[in-house]
Amino acid sequence: MGKAAAGSDPMVQARGRGKLAPARPAFGGAELPDDGHELRKEDFIWSEYAFNDGEKANRRTLRGFKREFRRMRHETPEGIRNPKLLTAALDLALACVKAYDLDSADKIYRRVLAECRRRGLPWDVKCLQDLATLRCKQHRQADAADLLEELATKAPPHPATFINLGTVYNQMRQYDKAEAWFLQAVNLKGGEPGREDLWNLGIAKKNQKQYDEALPMLEQALQEFQEHEPDHPVTIAKLHSSVSGCLFDMGRAEDAATHYREARDLYLESIGTMSPLFCSAAEGLAKALQAMGQFGEAFEMLVGAFAVHAQGDAVHPTPLFESLDMALEMAMQKSGLPLEQLVPLIDAAVENLDRRGLVEDGNAGLVMSRGGEVLSRAGDVYRGRAAKLLARGVQLISGSHDAGEADLSHEIWRAEALLRGLEET
């Protein structure tokens, strides 16, 4: 847990972009079921684990936590009505969130949310806070915002709540609101921004294209984390990525690539290649290398990032579409790129979306359209599969267009033209 906790609460942890700040404020005199059990920080053991030991070791550790929880559950006939088992469930769920085992975390929260609400403060606050973190990692920011709004009605004003609202609004691209919430968090803590605050505010400034203010904030935050928390490689890697994003938007691709490499190397050592955090650094490095004209390595990084997007629990149409669009752009800039490496990953992406019920709208149709286009360029052997995927995509895109959800006429024309070309040859 970070040392720069918001306010005085020991369970606060803010980690900037993409990570909310779990918090359990002290609620004196809160009415709880009379079972003699309180929600205590020291009972949260599994979720305190850093998961910095590499991909295989992290998975092994999480499996051990799950085995211990199953043993406890077997020995607890009353189930989650038992406060000790409920505490363990919340602990395991947050550990799963930290380890990006998002499906497992989702299943646990579905089982415990009603009981936490029944028990009231601080159980409901803890559950809602951590569930909002999960929703953000699942790219469900609107749902996270709803949870945080509910949380705000239950708890006194707390820096963590304001930080989390700022983080969600950042992700929803409402940057003015994000900055306002971050500033309120600073004011609630006494008015002097710490390194967490500099990070959050720097991202908000960067997203508002106020780069001259953003970059010094982000660089100072990185320097302070390196000095004061050198044993938190994931946090430092995230800071490198934040600095990189600002540099890239400023047109400094080479400097951005340097920081993205630092982030990627730290993630490789700590969390492995299948984490969305590694994916983010690899994708950023791909963009920087593309801007530098280093297309071979850029494509290699992009394939690694797309593998995570395609196969992970946090699968979502938007990053899939953006990665495929970037691959096609690179292929136009540099001939001979091995597009066939994306073929099995496109199949995995569509299957993953389908399994989660995410293939019913135009967003999924756009993924299929771009995927079909990649298949059509990957070699003649894939043309039949490309046509089938394009046909399915056109149907979904047309449905969204006809329903007035968005003007997708150009996308329909593009997909249909390519489909006609495939059918004529």
Side-chain angles (χ1 to χ4, degrees), residues 51-232:
F51 292 101
N52 288 339
D53 299 329
E55 191 171 337
K56 290 183 179 179
N58 289 341
R59 287 201 302 265
R60 185 167 57 249
T61 298
L62 187 60
R63 285 196 299 268
F65 295 162
K66 289 180 177 180
R67 282 195 300 270
E68 178 64 15
F69 178 76
R70 285 195 296 269
R71 182 193 62 77
M72 294 176 63
R73 186 176 61 188
H74 180 73
E75 297 174 353
T76 311
E78 63 268 42
I80 60 170
R81 286 270 181 162
N82 181 287
K84 291 184 178 179
L85 187 66
L86 181 59
T87 299
L90 291 171
D91 192 16
L92 179 60
L94 186 55
C96 290
V97 171
K98 290 180 70 174
Y100 278 90
D101 185 359
L102 304 186
D103 286 350
S104 294
D106 197 290
K107 290 177 183 177
I108 296 171
Y109 285 123
R110 288 177 186 275
R111 292 172 182 169
V112 305
L113 179 58
E115 175 63 14
C116 288
R117 282 180 167 145
R118 183 188 75 84
R119 298 180 71 85
L121 295 172
W123 300 81
D124 53 353
V125 170
K126 172 66 175 170
C127 186
L128 291 170
Q129 186 75 72
D130 295 346
L131 180 54
T133 301
L134 171 64
R135 292 292 179 251
C136 279
K137 291 191 176 186
Q138 293 173 317
H139 302 284
R140 295 171 57 180
Q141 280 78 14
D143 292 337
D146 289 342
L147 291 166
L148 292 172
E149 298 263 348
E150 180 182 349
L151 177 65
T153 68
K154 294 177 177 292
H158 194 277
T161 304
F162 295 165
I163 289 169
N164 293 339
L165 284 165
T167 299
V168 170
Y169 279 121
N170 241 338
Q171 294 175 348
M172 295 173 70
R173 301 185 180 184
Q174 298 182 36
Y175 305 130
D176 291 344
K177 285 187 176 181
E179 183 180 8
W181 283 113
F182 289 143
L183 287 171
Q184 286 194 55
V186 173
N187 291 336
L188 200 59
K189 292 184 287 183
E192 186 67 27
R195 52 185 175 273
E196 299 276 6
D197 304 305
L198 290 170
W199 188 0
N200 290 326
L201 289 167
I203 292 172
K205 294 287 188 183
K206 172 255 184 187
N207 288 334
Q208 295 175 84
K209 304 186 186 306
Q210 298 174 14
Y211 303 123
D212 290 342
E213 295 180 66
L215 185 59
M217 288 182 173
L218 294 172
E219 290 178 330
Q220 182 179 343
L222 172 59
Q223 180 181 353
E224 291 190 16
F225 270 101
Q226 289 173 322
E227 178 181 353
H228 297 287
E229 302 188 36
D231 55 342
H232 290 132

Side-chain angles (χ1 to χ4, degrees), residues 31-69:
E31 293 185 6
L32 293 173
D34 187 17
D35 50 26
H37 187 87
E38 297 179 354
L39 191 64
R40 304 178 306 171
K41 177 183 182 298
E42 53 265 32
D43 292 329
F44 286 81
I45 307 299
W46 302 327
S47 56
E48 288 292 294
Y49 190 77
F51 292 101
N52 288 339
D53 299 329
E55 191 171 337
K56 290 183 179 179
N58 289 341
R59 287 201 302 265
R60 185 167 57 249
T61 298
L62 187 60
R63 285 196 299 268
F65 295 162
K66 289 180 177 180
R67 282 195 300 270
E68 178 64 15
F69 178 76

